[in-house]
């Protein structure tokens, strides 16, 4: 009986971790956004003449 309880808790823990992983993956910036941000950091607009 205790083993079933432990398995249930483990299942819930894994389900929550998977849900958090997919939620964060949706919010991750695209590669194009990352490239644009890196270019802005490397070449700030204020330095251009």
């Amino acid at each position: 009986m205790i083993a079933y309880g432990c398995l249930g808790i483990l299942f819930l823990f894994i389900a929550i971790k998977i849900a958090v992983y997919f939620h964060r993956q949706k919010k991750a910036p695209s590669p194009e956004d990352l490239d644009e941000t890196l270019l802005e950091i490397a070449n700030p607009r204020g330095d251009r003449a």
Side-chain angles (χ1 to χ4, degrees):
M1 190 69 181
I2 293 174
Y4 289 125
C6 291
L7 285 174
I9 292 170
L10 180 64
F11 176 76
L12 288 174
F13 178 76
I14 292 171
I16 290 170
K17 287 292 183 179
I18 290 172
V20 168
Y21 172 76
F22 282 114
H23 179 71
R24 286 186 180 172
Q25 189 175 9
K26 287 181 184 177
K27 293 173 61 176
S30 68
E32 292 81 17
D33 292 338
L34 288 175
D35 289 343
E36 184 176 319
T37 303
L38 288 172
L39 283 173
E40 287 177 3
I41 292 171
N43 300 319
R45 296 184 192 269
D47 291 348
R48 294 182 188 165

